[in-house]
Every structure is written in structure tokens, then in C-alpha cells.
Amino acid sequence: MELSISFPSCWDGVNLDSPDHMSHVAFPEGERENSPCPSSHPVRIPRLDFFIRWFNTNAVKWEFADGSTRFHADYVSGWDESFLQSILDGSDGDFDSKVTFRAGILHQGNDFELIQQLNENAVPKADTSCITTETIDSVINLPKGACTGTLISPFGVCGTTPAPTKSPT
């Protein structure tokens, strides 16, 4: 399965943001890479695409946790501005040697080799042993709806910090 999302690449030239966080940017008029920007958003900005792939997935119906079919992504830049500008300006044309996966991994066209390299350099899995002692192996339906933002008790996990007790009044 592959999910892809393309960000708008045309800007109104004035607003860095908008109340809906979308209307200050727009997509080009057409599907081609060099399609013109609409007159309302005349400034071309770098095109950014995300591609997310899950390998070895069974043919099943996929659904987002909120029950929608809408995929959303945000981009926050952590690039050194002068380095990024040199890349955007064309630099010396040697893009791939400057921008790589962690550990210098480059996709050379073979997905199986890429998967092997990514697995060999993967971030170690987090130790989740103290989150629950219950074996969870039969999830039939995932919870749906908006995220509350509460992921872990503010009082700790695995009994490391006791929950506060109410004082008698």
C-alpha cells in the first residue's frame, strides 16, 4: 500500500499563513510539473511530496482512525536556510550526495535492497514493556474519533510515581 500527498506549490506572495492554514497557497493549474500557478497565487514555491509505503500488506480495506478517507500532513522545516536555498537554486547538481536517508542510504531502484538497508539502520524499537502487562493480540476495531491528546498518565507508568491521593476535607 502506498499513500502519497502533494503540498501546494503556489503562494499568494503576501500571507505566510491564513485563518484556514490553506488559502494562502494553491495548487498549479494542471497536472504537469511546469503547470502555471493561478493568478491569485502567482509565486512558485518548492514542490513537496510525501510517499509512505507499507510493504507486505494483505489486500484489506484500509480506514483512518477517525473514519474518514482524508489524509493530512504538515511540514515543519528544520533545514539550515542557506543550505536549503543552495539546493533549491540548483547548487552544483549533486543533490543525492547531500540529501539522503539517515546512514547515507540511497534508493537505487530496488525496493528489496532499500528495505534491507532501512531495516539494518532502523531506530531501535521503544521499550513498551511497562505500559501494559496485558497481551494485546486480538484488536478487531480501532478506536475512532478525535484524539484527546492524553497518551500517558501524568502520574507515570508501571507504578514509578504514585497517583496523588485526596486529602480529607
Side-chain angles (χ1 to χ4, degrees):
M1 181 172 102
E2 181 173 290
L3 246 163
S4 62
I5 188 168
S6 296
F7 287 78
S9 57
C10 300
W11 175 44
D12 66 12
V14 177
N15 301 295
L16 296 178
D17 197 3
S18 52
D20 65 0
H21 307 298
M22 295 184 295
S23 58
H24 61 294
V25 290
F27 288 96
E29 296 176 330
E31 296 295 320
R32 297 183 186 265
E33 194 169 311
N34 61 350
S35 295
C37 286
S39 59
S40 60
H41 294 76
V43 180
R44 176 74 66 176
I45 57 177
R47 177 178 162 174
L48 181 64
D49 299 297
F50 288 168
F51 298 95
I52 302 164
R53 297 173 79 185
W54 289 268
F55 293 93
N56 304 321
T57 56
N58 296 325
V60 296
K61 180 184 175 202
W62 292 88
E63 183 178 288
F64 294 108
D66 67 356
S68 75
T69 57
R70 185 177 175 129
F71 179 64
H72 169 88
D74 293 309
Y75 173 74
V76 177
S77 179
W79 288 81
D80 173 82
E81 289 181 27
S82 60
F83 176 77
L84 178 58
Q85 191 62 56
S86 74
I87 295 291
L88 296 173
D89 291 341
S91 190
D92 58 4
D94 187 16
F95 181 79
D96 284 338
S97 72
K98 294 179 175 68
V99 182
T100 64
F101 288 100
R102 182 172 36 86
I105 297 170
L106 290 172
H107 186 253
Q108 303 291 339
N110 184 318
D111 287 343
F112 296 108
E113 287 179 12
L114 175 64
I115 293 168
Q116 181 179 352
Q117 291 178 58
L118 291 172
N119 286 334
E120 290 169 355
N121 292 280
V123 174
K125 290 184 177 181
D127 177 9
T128 59
S129 62
C130 74
I131 293 175
T132 181
T133 57
E134 176 186 3
T135 302
I136 301 172
D137 59 4
S138 61
V139 175
I140 296 170
N141 293 307
L142 294 173
K144 296 181 180 183
C147 179
T148 64
T150 303
L151 300 177
I152 298 176
S153 165
F155 307 112
V157 292
C158 299
T160 56
T161 306
T165 57
K166 284 190 170 185
S167 299
T169 54

